[in-house]
Amino acid sequence: MTDVILKTEKLRFFYRTGDGLEAAPALDELDLEIERGSFTAILGRNGSGKSTLAKHFNATLLPEGGSVYAYGMDTRDEKLALEIRRRIGLVFQNPDNQIVSNVVEEDVAFAPENLGFPPEEIRSRVDEALSMVGMYEFREHAPHLLSGGQKQRIAIAGVLAMRPECVVFDEPTAMLDPKGRDEVVQIMHDLKEFYHTTVVLITHHMEETVDADRVVVLDRGRVALDGPPREVFPQVERLRALGLSSPVTTELLYELNRRGFRLPLTELSEEGCAEAIYRALNA
């Protein structure tokens, strides 16, 4: 029996236009479940509802129709909002939007201080969170002097200091260079593997999702595809129709197959892709 920690039921949400009228629904009767300890990647073209869904998971946004449950708690219950946000952390695209202090360790301590933890507990949480993201040696630095990838790691540490059971990453690598993206993606995998944290990744970088347990593709506020990466990404034409591409490895294998090869589209890693091509050329 699965252990569902996040659940949406017929979730609907609208943004208003400038004249106050409802636009097309950002989320349209969306049903989705996220299991404890999983790494779920949520994909979709711009306007598909990805970030709107992320903000519903920890009650930053509230449903206008249907329901969202976080660890069994109804997100519309205002009395539960603090507990929901303690258990489900949210990391945003722009780290500057989450950094509030002039010293790294003070920034990471911000949330635990506001929750009233004693100083020794705060010190422990800050040191642990900074160590988890590889930024402990920068604890006395000024955040604004750090690189984009380092800033994002500080923002993640600020969320981890709350010791959440689930972290939702809302396009956390969109503003980073390839090195910074790799560092942040590694943190996500470390959280799942070593700390058993449930990870939800909202992204448009396909390569970040090939090692996820599950890929969910949204389109116009609904689930269009859902399954393991090795089942979703070989559906190249379907993804293109949804305004997305498969990982570059899958795209390469697909194009070679159009030219007469018979290669498995399930080889998502660079090593697996190269080996499949090598075998085909030497068959």
Side-chain angles (χ1 to χ4, degrees):
M1 184 175 180
T2 59
D3 187 0
V4 174
I5 63 167
L6 291 171
K7 183 176 184 178
T8 71
E9 294 181 344
K10 304 297 181 185
L11 173 60
R12 289 175 64 83
F13 186 83
F14 296 86
Y15 290 106
R16 266 58 182 184
T17 61
D19 53 11
L21 299 176
E22 291 182 350
L27 298 172
D28 189 9
E29 297 196 354
L30 177 68
D31 291 322
L32 186 65
E33 295 182 350
I34 304 293
E35 296 178 14
R36 185 188 303 274
S38 63
F39 188 138
T40 302
I42 299 179
L43 306 172
R45 72 178 102 197
N46 290 339
S48 63
K50 306 187 302 296
S51 291
T52 303
L53 177 60
K55 293 179 177 68
H56 274 84
F57 282 146
N58 82 333
T60 298
L61 292 178
L62 300 178
E64 296 190 348
S67 303
V68 179
Y69 298 97
Y71 292 92
M73 296 177 284
D74 191 330
T75 61
R76 288 171 298 192
D77 189 336
E78 294 182 2
K79 298 188 298 294
L80 300 175
L82 189 60
E83 176 64 11
I84 289 172
R85 290 169 188 161
R86 185 190 68 78
R87 298 181 74 175
I88 301 173
L90 181 57
V91 176
F92 294 102
Q93 178 182 124
N94 188 345
D96 290 328
N97 293 339
Q98 289 185 259
I99 294 175
V100 297
S101 300
N102 294 322
V103 179
V104 165
E105 62 182 6
E106 292 177 0
D107 188 84
V108 178
F110 181 78
E113 284 177 346
N114 282 336
L115 290 177
F117 288 109
E120 61 274 14
E121 175 72 9
I122 294 172
R123 180 75 264 168
S124 173
R125 286 173 176 251
V126 169
D127 290 348
E128 178 185 69
L130 286 172
S131 296
M132 288 170 69
V133 300
M135 291 296 291
Y136 180 77
E137 63 185 279
F138 294 89
R139 62 192 180 281
E140 296 180 355
H141 284 54
H144 70 276
L145 297 177
L146 301 175
S147 69
Q150 290 171 325
K151 285 182 180 180
Q152 190 62 284
R153 285 193 275 167
I154 295 304
I156 294 170
V159 171
L160 297 182
M162 300 279 287
R163 294 182 180 168
E165 299 170 39
C166 171
V167 181
V168 180
F169 294 86
D170 185 11
E171 301 206 39
T173 66
M175 304 180 69
L176 304 182
D177 60 22
K179 181 177 183 294
R181 286 203 299 269
D182 290 344
E183 291 171 350
V184 171
V185 171
Q186 187 59 55
I187 289 170
M188 296 182 216
H189 286 288
D190 288 347
L191 286 173
K192 177 183 183 294
E193 181 176 356
F194 299 115
Y195 300 95
H196 310 294
T197 305
T198 305
V199 174
V200 180
L201 170 62
I202 313 292
T203 185
H204 61 272
H205 292 294
M206 298 297 164
E207 282 67 30
E208 296 176 358
T209 69
V210 295
D211 293 322
D213 300 316
R214 175 186 179 197
V215 172
V216 177
V217 178
L218 298 186
D219 183 55
R220 299 178 184 177
R222 294 188 174 188
V223 175
L225 291 171
D226 184 356
R230 289 168 63 90
E231 293 180 7
V232 171
F233 289 135
Q235 300 181 55
V236 175
E237 294 294 340
R238 174 65 171 144
L239 287 168
R240 289 177 179 175
L242 294 169
L244 300 173
S245 60
S246 294
V248 292
T249 50
T250 307
E251 293 279 348
L252 173 59
L253 295 171
Y254 177 81
E255 291 301 326
L256 288 172
N257 284 349
R258 291 182 61 193
R259 289 160 173 78
F261 285 84
R262 300 180 63 184
L263 298 163
L265 299 184
T266 53
E267 295 292 352
L268 304 180
S269 69
E270 292 180 3
E271 295 80 4
C273 175
E275 185 176 339
I277 295 172
Y278 177 82
R279 288 196 304 265
L281 291 174
N282 290 276

